[in-house]
Amino acid sequence: MERPAPHRDGRGHDVAGETFALAGAASLRTFAERYGVGALPLWATFRDRACAGGGTDAADDSCSGVAQEDGAFGVVLGG
């Protein structure tokens, strides 16, 4: 069975109204530690920075789309 393409809301998000922010990353890490997940290899480290101008309305291939310090997701996900 073919899986349907994810919804795109025009801002680069897969699910309208949902943004993966630092709090979500912390929850993901807690889950991974609790259930013995060995790695979280799909994080794009080159996007681990705020977008130019500090905008948080859209993500692109070079930034996260959330307000953050450079490398903040790496710190939260990696411990």
Side-chain angles (χ1 to χ4, degrees):
M1 175 180 217
E2 187 172 326
R3 186 175 178 182
H7 170 74
R8 302 299 281 193
D9 69 357
R11 296 182 303 152
H13 303 132
D14 291 334
V15 179
E18 288 188 9
T19 300
F20 187 69
L22 292 168
S27 293
L28 178 60
R29 179 172 177 212
T30 299
F31 173 89
E33 289 174 338
R34 181 176 295 144
Y35 292 100
V37 175
L40 300 171
L42 298 178
W43 179 247
T45 57
F46 60 89
R47 292 184 61 220
D48 196 0
R49 61 191 182 109
C51 295
T56 59
D57 289 340
D60 66 27
D61 290 339
S62 65
C63 61
S64 68
V66 301
Q68 69 164 97
E69 296 292 325
D70 288 357
F73 278 95
V75 170
V76 171
L77 291 171

